[in-house]
Amino acid sequence: MLRRRCLALLASGGVLPLLSSCTAYYGETTTVGSPIYIRSNVPDCPVKDVALAEPTVGLFIGISNYQPGAGVISTPAHFIGASLFAGIFSRAGELTGPSAYADARLTDIIPTSRLPKTSADPSNVVRVMGYGSGGSDALIRRAAILGALATAIADAEKMRQTQGRVRLVIYVAAHGLLGADGRPSFLPGDASVDAPSTWIAYGDVVDAVKAFLAGNAPGEATHSALLIFDTCQNTRGAAPSAPARFAATPGLVLVQSAAPGQYAWHWTASATADQHVEVVKETRLGLGLPPPEARGDIHRELASTMSVLPLANQCAVAARAKALKAQVGGRQVISVQDWFEATKTMADDYLSQIPEMQRLGRTQQVSMVATDADAARPLFIVGGPGT
Amino acid sequence: MNIGSRGWGAKRGKPLVFPIAVCALLGVASPLSAKPPADTIVLKGGTGDTVEISTTGPFADPHATQLAQDIQALDQQIAKMRKQKAERDPAAAEVKAEMLGIAVDARDDALSELDLALAVARKTSAGALDPDAVARADADARAAKTVLSSRAPSSIAVTTSISTSVTDATLHYMSAQKHRQRSTEWSSYSDGERMRIGRYVFRVNPARAGAPGYEEFVLVISDPTRKRLTPMQAPNP
């Protein structure tokens, strides 16, 4: 099977991972229907024996291609970041569709054999959107994003019915702007910076998720959500007088990689620290890229950037899990609060090493809004369920 | 300083980690092995780094292209000035050399700011040039152009008359280069002061306690140099 996957990848003429990587990278996958794939183990930040604490439906969106005239340039960083972030929530993708996105029904990071036998359906659903509807259209359009959001919510509700509880995880890496009305928004592939009606406001996604969370009966927490916006919140023109703020909502954990007026910086080859050489090498190999004909204007060259947050997330979870296993042993929990603090600390460290950010004298504030109860909920289980 | 066209659209200076041989083996186009595209302007900076500006394709920005072309034009003017016959008068030669140095510094600063603006477009989720860095690059390029087209003063020090529309305010200044390095060592300014020709940043400090100051770039090149500093919008914090 491994050999078939390698051959399939090479025959596609698209992604060109190192030949030796095939055996190393696809140890537990079954079939492949697309050259898009998800890597979970960055070599120097391997995440081992870490499981999701709750049944999860994930939607990871990395908008890399923008239409001509959008007013923003295309960047591979967003899709690479989304792929890497998704890697924490999935071992690898079982893929559908020729190039649209990886639609994976996965057994999370723990091998199937180690999952609790009592679970009716131990799978999590993880979907990664990096490109458009296939063919020559490499744009992720506004309508497709809103459709995927609705699908993810519907999948989450189905999972809640079968599992009794569910966590909906949504991650968005895209170009972002703070509108004149003070609302932070992100830009789909078919957006234009000059037309706010083509953007998607954070608030619209939050409202959709809040409607999903309304499924919680009084006193219950069967529905929960982790919503991560990894976008800029800079302005074009005059800054709004009162940027929108999000209040804590029961069931919802909202993470923003930047505050109003700030850029969300990317980790790049030129900002490589010694310990992350492997990460950069990996992104240069074209992590998770579709075949050339579906890549649009970018990705004709080796990719070498990704958002800071996914990398920080990966390495923070790896470090936290390693420390817990070494210090405590057995089955341990990484709560939402633990995860966020570790990720933020790691992100701050990366950000302090970006020379252009220092030259401009800018800051980037990664923040989380959650109730105390939601922050205390388990996000990952170290040592695996049932161990 | 314009060293032609090459590469794929990023700042050079460090060797790439990924071996070219492996790229070739895999059939992956290496940035180092790629034939230079004709749609990239490559400019050399003051510290030896090169900055590449895509003029077409997904990484292109019209404003960046215009700035890059302006800097190319400056390079031609600077090269022409360097070829000119040396002045016989030592004082005139000193002034000319100083003016050339000011123009080169301004040109280098313009490129540095353009590089920074491009870095924001390429390395953040803004996807566009940083407007503040672009404004500074524009100002630096304009200053270089002004210096190159100005008549040389008779002396390297010129009389200045810098004033402000802000009532009872005091003026301080420092060189543009020190200001770029985030120096806090301001010198107080007196009207009529003779100053060495060069690029300066002036700071207007209002008399009213707690009122925010205002900074403005001033090119001191003509004798006398007169300028009135007027905050156009809200003063800088």
Side-chain angles (χ1 to χ4, degrees):
Chain A
M1 187 61 72
L2 291 173
R3 197 172 180 80
R4 276 176 53 196
R5 290 207 63 188
C6 294
L7 290 172
L9 285 166
L10 294 170
S12 73
V15 185
L16 291 165
L18 281 169
L19 293 174
S20 60
S21 300
C22 292
T23 50
Y25 291 180
Y26 299 108
E28 295 170 20
T29 54
T30 51
T31 59
V32 100
S34 158
I36 298 179
Y37 64 96
I38 303 163
R39 277 279 321 269
S40 63
N41 284 337
V42 174
D44 50 355
C45 294
V47 177
K48 294 176 181 171
D49 292 341
V50 177
L52 299 174
E54 301 192 60
T56 298
V57 170
L59 174 62
F60 299 85
I61 302 170
I63 301 170
S64 287
N65 286 307
Y66 285 88
Q67 65 180 352
V72 289
I73 64 170
S74 297
T75 171
H78 296 145
F79 177 63
I80 292 169
S83 294
L84 197 63
F85 220 110
I88 286 290
F89 291 84
S90 58
R91 182 73 174 184
E94 179 183 335
L95 307 160
T96 61
S99 64
Y101 49 80
D103 188 3
R105 186 166 293 277
L106 301 163
T107 55
D108 73 23
I109 301 168
I110 298 294
T112 310
S113 59
R114 294 182 57 190
L115 287 166
K117 297 287 188 283
T118 54
S119 177
D121 180 2
S123 300
N124 297 306
V125 174
V126 175
R127 181 173 290 114
V128 182
M129 293 183 79
Y131 294 87
S133 57
S136 60
D137 187 354
L139 299 178
I140 300 183
R141 297 178 182 276
R142 189 174 190 277
I145 293 169
L146 297 177
L149 176 63
T151 301
I153 289 173
D155 284 349
E157 186 53 43
K158 282 181 207 163
M159 184 170 283
R160 203 276 309 164
Q161 288 168 9
T162 58
Q163 302 284 311
R165 62 199 167 96
V166 68
R167 173 177 277 132
L168 174 64
V169 178
I170 296 172
Y171 168 85
V172 179
H175 288 319
L177 284 169
L178 196 62
D181 57 1
R183 297 208 308 165
S185 301
F186 64 93
L187 275 57
D190 57 346
S192 166
V193 294
D194 298 324
S197 62
T198 63
W199 309 351
I200 296 177
Y202 286 13
D204 291 344
V205 180
V206 169
D207 288 345
V209 172
K210 278 183 182 176
F212 161 72
L213 295 172
N216 277 325
E220 289 188 351
T222 55
H223 302 67
S224 62
L226 170 59
L227 190 47
I228 302 162
F229 291 113
D230 192 3
T231 85
C232 285
Q233 293 192 31
N234 59 306
T235 55
R236 298 279 176 103
S241 55
R245 305 281 179 188
F246 294 97
T249 301
L252 174 63
V253 175
L254 176 61
V255 173
Q256 297 175 76
S257 68
Q262 293 180 341
Y263 294 129
W265 290 81
H266 298 166
W267 187 253
T268 69
S270 61
T272 306
D274 289 344
Q275 67 268 33
H276 297 304
V277 166
E278 289 301 321
V279 174
V280 174
K281 275 185 189 175
E282 192 169 291
T283 59
R284 283 178 184 282
L285 291 176
L287 178 72
L289 302 186
E293 63 272 19
R295 293 181 195 174
D297 288 331
I298 58 165
H299 288 148
R300 288 174 184 155
E301 305 287 351
L302 301 174
S304 59
T305 62
M306 73 179 82
S307 310
V308 162
L309 202 59
L311 181 58
N313 170 59
Q314 169 102 15
C315 291
V317 171
R320 192 82 185 101
K322 191 176 176 183
L324 279 173
K325 280 194 282 188
Q327 293 164 13
V328 188
R331 183 173 179 266
Q332 299 295 326
V333 164
I334 298 177
S335 69
V336 169
Q337 184 72 36
D338 290 343
W339 163 77
F340 174 73
E341 286 178 1
T343 299
K344 178 177 164 49
T345 301
M346 191 70 77
D348 288 346
D349 182 44
Y350 289 134
L351 292 169
S352 71
Q353 298 175 55
I354 296 177
E356 292 89 351
M357 188 174 167
Q358 312 310 320
R359 278 174 63 197
L360 272 172
R362 301 296 173 85
T363 56
Q364 184 180 332
Q365 179 77 24
V366 183
S367 67
M368 180 176 84
V369 178
T371 65
D372 289 346
D374 289 314
R377 285 178 74 142
L379 181 59
F380 296 109
I381 296 171
V382 179
T387 60
Chain B
M1 293 188 205
N2 173 17
I3 59 172
S5 296
R6 53 178 273 236
W8 63 297
K11 190 177 179 181
R12 303 264 181 200
K14 277 188 173 182
L16 292 171
V17 178
F18 192 65
I20 301 169
V22 176
C23 287
L25 176 69
L26 295 173
V28 177
S30 159
L32 289 182
S33 63
K35 194 174 180 182
D39 57 358
T40 301
I41 297 173
V42 183
L43 297 166
K44 191 170 182 180
T47 56
D49 283 346
T50 55
V51 180
E52 300 180 3
I53 302 99
S54 300
T55 56
T56 60
F59 298 109
D61 180 278
H63 206 150
T65 301
Q66 183 59 56
L67 266 167
Q69 290 168 344
D70 289 349
I71 293 170
Q72 280 184 311
L74 288 172
D75 287 346
Q76 288 173 357
Q77 277 187 275
I78 288 168
K80 193 175 169 185
M81 199 169 173
R82 280 187 169 136
K83 284 180 185 169
Q84 285 176 358
K85 209 171 175 181
E87 296 281 348
R88 286 186 182 175
D89 175 14
E94 184 189 13
V95 170
K96 190 177 172 185
E98 185 74 7
M99 288 181 73
L100 183 61
I102 294 166
V104 169
D105 285 347
R107 176 267 181 212
D108 288 346
D109 286 348
L111 182 58
S112 176
E113 292 294 348
L114 173 58
D115 183 35
L116 200 51
L118 285 166
V120 168
R122 291 171 178 148
K123 299 179 180 180
T124 74
S125 291
L129 303 182
D130 180 75
D132 296 340
V134 167
R136 289 193 297 269
D138 273 333
D140 290 333
R142 273 200 311 274
K145 192 174 177 183
T146 302
V147 172
L148 290 170
S149 60
S150 294
R151 178 185 292 186
S154 57
S155 164
I156 206 159
V158 297
T159 303
T160 62
S161 178
I162 314 297
S163 60
T164 177
S165 59
V166 180
T167 312
D168 296 332
T170 56
L171 295 180
H172 293 78
Y173 69 95
M174 70 167 74
S175 73
Q177 282 186 323
K178 275 189 174 179
H179 188 264
R180 188 180 298 273
Q181 293 160 3
R182 302 182 192 279
S183 171
T184 54
E185 294 174 12
W186 294 93
S187 301
S188 55
Y189 175 79
S190 305
D191 190 30
E193 194 170 317
R194 283 183 71 77
M195 295 176 68
R196 191 181 180 93
I197 58 174
R199 296 179 302 137
Y200 295 89
V201 174
F202 275 72
R203 181 170 178 83
V204 179
N205 294 307
R208 185 165 56 86
Y214 162 73
E215 292 175 9
E216 187 168 329
F217 174 82
V218 176
L219 180 63
V220 174
I221 204 75
S222 56
D223 194 4
T225 295
R226 294 191 177 90
K227 177 106 177 171
R228 187 161 177 81
L229 308 178
T230 305
M232 296 293 288
Q233 297 172 337
N236 294 336

